[in-house]
Amino acid sequence: MNKFFSLSLILFILTITINCTAQQKQIMSKDTKKTIEEKVDSLLNIMTLEEKIGQMNQYNGFWDVTGPSPKSGNEAKKYEDIKKGLVGSMLTVRGVDQVRSVQKIAVEDTRLGIPLIIGFDVIHGYKTLSPIPLAEAASWDLEAIEKSASVAASEAAASGINWTFGPNVDVSRDPRWGRVMEGAGEDPFLGSKITTARVKGFQGDDLSQVNTIAACAKHFAGYGFSEAGKEYNTVSIDRSTLYNVVLPPFKAAVDADVKTLMNSFNELDGIPATGNKFLQRDILKDKWGFNGFVISDWASIKEMISWGHAKDLNQAAELAVEAGCDMDMESYAYVDELAKLVKKGKVDEKLIDDAARRILTVKYELGLFDDPYKYCNEALEKAVIGSDENRAAVLDMAKKSIVLLKNENQLLPLPKEGKKITVIGGLANDDNSILGSWRIASDDHSGVSILEGLQKYTGNQLTFKKGADVTVGKTAFTEELTINTTDTSEIKDAVLAAKDADIVVMVLGEHGFQTGEARSRTELDLPGVQQELLEAVYEVNKNIVLVLTNGRPLTINWASENIPAIVEAWQLGTETGNAVAQVLYGDYNPSGKLPMTFPRNIGQIPIYYNHKQTGRPVNADNNVFWSHYSDVASTPLYPFGYGLSYTTFEYSNLNVSKTNFNVEDTIEVTFNLKNTGNYAGKEVAQLYIRDLFASVTRPVKELKGFELVSLNAGETKKITLKLTKEELGFYDNNGDFVIEPGDFKLFVGGSSETSLETEITLN
Ligand code: BGC
């Protein structure tokens, strides 16, 4: 090559580079005249195939990103890939310092400088923790739930994060499945309302604000129906259940403009969800018109090989992208295989363009192109995370999430002075378990324990005895955690301390890490020797208030029969102890209602309120041939929607605006709700329907409306709930929403075991 030629070549390359940078700058600039769509199109035009695929690739956080760059192994590959523009997103990197470091590589070292979107599992708070999502669902308080998500978003965003892998909207009927703690329970209607609230809370009105983050409805779809509640298991559900129970919360998320969805680990109809075109393309993108992007679950593209659906990573990548999975979390399938597939003509480049377009659009909407470091502000990070305001918000949410299951002889609320109270249970002085599962960013042991909360009320004489631990494990990732302790050596001491107490508060339940991902259980009673402890204390003192702290419905028959007062306190996050103490002492009157049925025993599972009638629903002739168990009642221990208050409520005067309706009419259902007790309180008034005859059989009851009503002692309010075709219709087996004329029953009451009913006819 002669000198002149080399010089021209260098000049040529320089010109291209300069042009590219200029072009890129123009694209990245705050060119207000251009729409996001136009900006994305211009950017896609200058991207190579590899760069577009890079946007579809997500890596987990790896080396100490603020330290020296890694030189070998997987970490080096990840680092190099970011530098080459082959990474579109990172997960689990957190904190302004770390986020800025990785963002800097993407923005300053790559050809196009496209910012990363930083994802994180913000499931129930970031550092300041709210109750676990199932507990929040028990509040039925949509405003509070939205607020809780917005607090979580503001803390995460202040820490450099711009995308949460939440909300988990998986409907589940199986408390053996550990991930029920992450969802909103068993009901699609309540679940959909809560989904909307959570998506709004995370995303706010304007995604480009520094205190909002993109949400991700997961896991699409059917994961909550893992067979026998066993984690990562197969799922076998009928189309009617899919359309009417599983999908509605996802649809609600899409209607609320959720920016992303995550697919799931399970298969559906024998096809892993990650490679399931029917779910991701036919329903989500085509039928619902979803224009955000779908991310795989962790390595779920690769796992299609284990499922026996793909023969290798190459085929797995092909199946996933064809099926509509836009981003690959930690499978290395897209980054390593997709370009080859496109070049061989096996995958149409249009699919890559579509996926990259979706991802880039969300990045633009977040404002990352305007300022890739906009979420990286140390001063904000310091001011927002753990602020007094956030602690107050999670305390408020925690109180609202508590469910009073039993209160015989008005044992609760506790007198504030003059009593000898013994507090018993390993979970009583635990400041870690009560934080619940899924709290990666929060500090261990940063919760207010229940004992600590109770100790703030100094009028009584308080004694604490552990009595028993729950498990032997210590951390989230060891199997040890599921090993329950067998150590009974401290029971005696606890019994002794209980003997001459006026009241015994027993704090029992599950360890926070006994629920969550990979925490399925086949026994749902009190783990370890806690039942033994409870019965031993009961022998000497029957004045027991049982405070349950757990992440799923438990089978507590004995307690339910014998213990006079039971409070379901779940795992309430950072402010657990203060919330429980305020409820026990009556400074807050509980109003929570169960979002999931409590079974009598494991054999009843799945047990849920919105079951079908069956052909033999009643024992008319007193024979045995009807749908029931011969060894246990068919009813649950505590039904869906159930929860008491320190006051009492009475429902009366159920009326409908007219009994014959047309499809377009709005039906006004009115009734009186009276506070008949001595305390001001709140009640979740619930409206259920039953479509008596339909082309596809309908459940015996379906929740279709509710209102959280505040009433002073003695006060009565007339409540109006509305029904439209939205509530009266259902999905047929083709997934089409239909409204069939006919007779409906309406039920109203304070739980799914309602007290009032009437009938209407839809013409
Ligand atoms: C879980 C997801 C989670 C992801 C990233 C997976 O194991 O199933 O829900 O978002 O990990 O942490």
Side-chain angles (χ1 to χ4, degrees):
M1 209 187 301
N2 67 36
K3 267 192 188 159
F4 175 75
F5 187 68
S6 338
L7 197 66
S8 327
L9 189 69
I10 289 166
L11 274 175
F12 176 71
I13 291 170
L14 256 175
T15 322
I16 286 188
T17 315
I18 289 162
N19 276 347
C20 185
T21 313
Q23 226 173 338
Q24 169 207 343
K25 280 212 175 115
Q26 205 186 341
I27 291 158
M28 309 277 206
S29 73
K30 297 177 194 175
D31 185 350
T32 44
K33 274 176 250 120
K34 271 190 166 178
T35 62
I36 286 185
E37 218 179 315
E38 287 164 345
K39 288 181 192 174
V40 171
D41 277 340
S42 325
L43 183 52
L44 279 171
N45 272 336
I46 57 164
M47 289 172 81
T48 64
L49 173 65
E50 284 73 14
E51 282 166 341
K52 286 184 280 190
I53 292 170
Q55 288 304 304
M56 301 164 69
N57 181 32
Q58 185 190 59
Y59 284 147
N60 188 38
F62 41 107
W63 82 101
D64 171 13
V65 284
T66 52
S69 54
K71 297 278 176 279
S72 62
N74 213 25
E75 293 182 346
K77 171 180 165 56
K78 288 183 176 183
Y79 177 76
E80 288 306 320
D81 281 355
I82 303 180
K83 280 180 89 168
K84 286 184 218 152
L86 299 182
V87 182
S89 173
M90 299 281 299
L91 83 145
T92 325
V93 177
R94 64 174 183 274
V96 164
D97 206 17
Q98 292 201 12
V99 171
R100 188 185 285 115
S101 300
V102 281
Q103 196 67 287
K104 197 162 173 281
I105 310 171
V107 172
E108 291 175 24
D109 295 355
T110 64
R111 189 179 79 96
L112 293 174
I114 299 174
L116 299 162
I117 176 170
I118 308 290
F120 198 86
D121 288 285
V122 185
I123 305 299
H124 55 107
Y126 182 68
K127 202 130 195 164
T128 311
L129 295 172
S130 265
I132 56 167
L134 184 68
E136 285 195 357
S139 73
W140 296 51
D141 188 329
L142 301 175
E143 227 175 273
I145 292 173
E146 183 178 331
K147 169 82 182 161
S148 161
S150 76
V151 167
S154 68
E155 287 204 357
S159 179
I161 287 151
N162 23 69
W163 176 25
T164 172
F165 304 127
N168 177 329
V169 308
D170 296 322
V171 170
S172 182
R173 295 166 167 174
D174 198 330
R176 290 172 297 184
W177 190 50
R179 300 195 79 166
V180 296
M181 57 79 49
E182 288 174 51
E186 74 188 36
D187 184 59
F189 182 83
L190 178 62
S192 298
K193 299 279 178 208
I194 289 175
T195 296
T196 307
R198 288 191 169 136
V199 170
K200 274 199 205 161
F202 286 130
Q203 296 190 167
D205 297 327
D206 178 358
L207 204 56
S208 71
Q209 294 296 309
V210 282
N211 58 355
T212 58
I213 56 179
C216 177
K218 68 186 189 185
H219 304 84
F220 197 63
Y223 190 23
F225 282 72
S226 289
E227 219 167 67
K230 191 169 97 181
E231 185 61 303
Y232 312 130
N233 207 3
T234 192
V235 164
S236 181
I237 47 172
D238 55 73
R239 286 285 146 121
S240 186
T241 305
L242 178 72
Y243 290 129
N244 290 287
V245 181
V246 171
L247 295 185
F250 289 101
K251 175 78 167 49
V254 171
D255 291 344
D257 199 25
V258 72
K259 293 298 163 191
T260 72
L261 257 81
M262 184 184 290
N263 57 38
S264 53
F265 288 133
N266 58 283
E267 61 165 25
L268 187 79
D269 299 328
I271 299 168
T274 304
N276 201 307
K277 188 166 169 291
F278 164 70
L279 283 174
Q280 297 170 105
R281 284 213 189 274
D282 301 353
I283 294 181
L284 178 64
K285 290 180 175 171
D286 294 349
K287 198 160 186 161
W288 296 352
F290 173 65
N291 48 27
F293 69 88
V294 179
I295 178 159
S296 79
D297 203 344
W298 182 288
S300 68
I301 299 183
K302 188 157 123 202
E303 285 175 16
M304 288 200 284
I305 305 169
S306 312
W307 273 110
H309 188 58
K311 67 174 187 305
D312 53 25
L313 199 60
N314 184 271
Q315 194 190 7
E318 182 183 348
L319 289 170
V321 78
E322 294 277 354
C325 173
D326 302 303
M327 189 181 273
D328 170 1
M329 182 195 289
E330 276 288 321
S331 276
Y332 300 81
Y334 285 178
V335 69
D336 288 347
E337 304 297 332
L338 268 189
K340 287 183 245 170
L341 286 161
V342 173
K343 282 171 190 160
K344 273 191 192 152
K346 281 189 146 183
V347 165
D348 190 338
E349 191 167 346
K350 283 200 187 109
L351 293 184
I352 312 296
D353 289 345
D354 178 58
R357 175 176 283 112
R358 288 166 182 270
I359 295 161
L360 291 169
T361 303
V362 175
K363 291 186 179 184
Y364 270 107
E365 288 172 339
L366 282 164
L368 285 169
F369 282 97
D370 295 331
D371 176 5
Y373 303 110
K374 63 180 286 198
Y375 294 85
C376 298
N377 176 336
E378 273 94 354
L380 196 68
E381 184 176 38
K382 233 171 159 196
V384 171
I385 296 179
S387 70
D388 290 349
E389 201 189 327
N390 290 356
R391 285 194 78 120
V394 299
L395 172 60
D396 181 60
M397 185 74 252
K399 289 188 280 192
K400 289 173 171 163
S401 305
I402 292 172
V403 184
L404 180 64
L405 294 177
K406 192 175 170 190
N407 192 18
E408 233 168 54
N409 308 323
Q410 301 246 304
L411 186 55
L412 288 171
L414 298 174
K416 285 188 177 154
E417 52 190 15
K419 298 285 175 196
K420 275 164 86 178
I421 298 183
T422 300
V423 179
I424 296 175
L427 290 169
N429 70 336
D430 194 313
D431 53 11
N432 201 35
S433 163
I434 42 146
L435 297 176
S437 200
W438 280 117
R439 29 83 168 209
I440 311 167
S442 83
D443 300 324
D444 277 349
H445 303 283
S446 59
V448 176
S449 76
I450 293 174
L451 184 63
E452 203 183 327
L454 289 171
Q455 279 163 342
K456 289 186 185 153
Y457 289 76
T458 52
N460 292 316
Q461 187 190 320
L462 214 66
T463 311
F464 168 66
K465 293 288 169 190
K466 183 163 78 168
D469 274 318
V470 181
T471 58
V472 298
K474 291 271 181 281
T475 65
F477 291 103
T478 61
E479 220 34 85
E480 243 194 322
L481 260 170
T482 52
I483 303 172
N484 300 320
T485 184
T486 52
D487 181 4
T488 54
S489 60
E490 292 186 52
I491 292 185
K492 230 182 186 169
D493 198 24
V495 170
L496 216 63
K499 218 169 190 168
D500 63 341
D502 296 313
I503 298 151
V504 184
V505 175
M506 298 196 66
V507 184
L508 308 177
E510 293 177 305
H511 190 279
F513 289 134
Q514 283 183 307
T515 45
E517 187 176 348
R519 302 286 176 224
S520 296
R521 291 177 64 203
T522 61
E523 306 281 358
L524 297 185
D525 45 11
L526 297 169
V529 295
Q530 295 180 99
Q531 182 65 30
E532 201 176 324
L533 171 68
L534 179 61
E535 291 185 28
V537 171
Y538 181 77
E539 279 296 306
V540 299
N541 194 333
K542 305 212 168 357
N543 252 359
I544 297 176
V545 174
L546 171 61
V547 177
L548 292 169
T549 151
N550 46 292
R552 52 154 70 87
L554 297 175
T555 51
I556 45 156
N557 293 298
W558 188 90
S560 173
E561 238 167 67
N562 296 290
I563 302 300
I566 307 178
V567 173
E568 177 52 82
W570 316 102
Q571 286 125 6
L572 297 171
T574 307
E575 290 285 339
T576 295
N578 290 328
V580 170
Q582 289 184 27
V583 164
L584 294 193
Y585 278 111
D587 287 348
Y588 187 85
N589 188 355
S591 55
K593 302 275 186 179
L594 295 177
M596 207 169 171
T597 304
F598 271 46
R600 292 176 190 275
N601 64 19
I602 301 288
Q604 282 190 321
I605 297 170
I607 181 168
Y608 47 96
Y609 86 94
N610 48 353
H611 59 85
K612 296 293 180 71
Q613 170 86 334
T614 82
R616 293 188 180 192
V618 283
N619 182 11
D621 305 331
N622 206 23
N623 64 45
V624 298
F625 301 104
W626 63 295
S627 177
H628 75 302
Y629 295 108
S630 51
D631 60 346
V632 70
S634 297
T635 53
L637 186 62
Y638 296 111
F640 172 83
Y642 170 83
L644 304 172
S645 161
Y646 294 151
T647 191
T648 46
F649 297 101
E650 190 183 272
Y651 290 78
S652 64
N653 282 1
L654 174 60
N655 263 304
V656 276
S657 38
K658 43 184 180 169
T659 47
N660 275 275
F661 290 89
N662 294 319
V663 170
E664 296 305 327
D665 288 346
T666 296
I667 305 165
E668 294 203 341
V669 183
T670 59
F671 53 92
N672 287 345
L673 182 61
K674 182 173 184 192
N675 180 341
T676 49
N678 302 322
Y679 298 87
K682 285 186 292 176
E683 164 78 339
V684 183
Q686 300 159 45
L687 168 65
Y688 296 81
I689 67 158
R690 173 153 164 219
D691 185 344
L692 292 176
F693 306 96
S695 56
V696 180
T697 60
R698 310 300 310 134
V700 291
K701 268 181 194 170
E702 292 177 87
L703 180 73
K704 290 296 176 183
F706 62 89
E707 192 175 316
L708 186 55
V709 188
S710 295
L711 290 168
N712 288 321
E715 193 187 1
T716 302
K717 275 187 185 162
K718 185 175 172 186
I719 311 298
T720 304
L721 296 174
K722 292 182 181 160
L723 291 173
T724 66
K725 60 182 176 191
E726 288 289 306
E727 288 80 31
L728 296 175
F730 62 91
Y731 290 94
D732 68 13
N733 289 346
N734 296 318
D736 294 323
F737 194 74
V738 292
I739 301 123
E740 295 182 355
D743 297 337
F744 291 78
K745 270 195 171 174
L746 308 185
F747 311 86
V748 164
S751 85
S752 55
E753 286 175 4
T754 44
S755 47
L756 304 174
E757 65 178 79
T758 186
E759 247 181 79
I760 57 164
T761 304
L762 188 67
N763 299 309

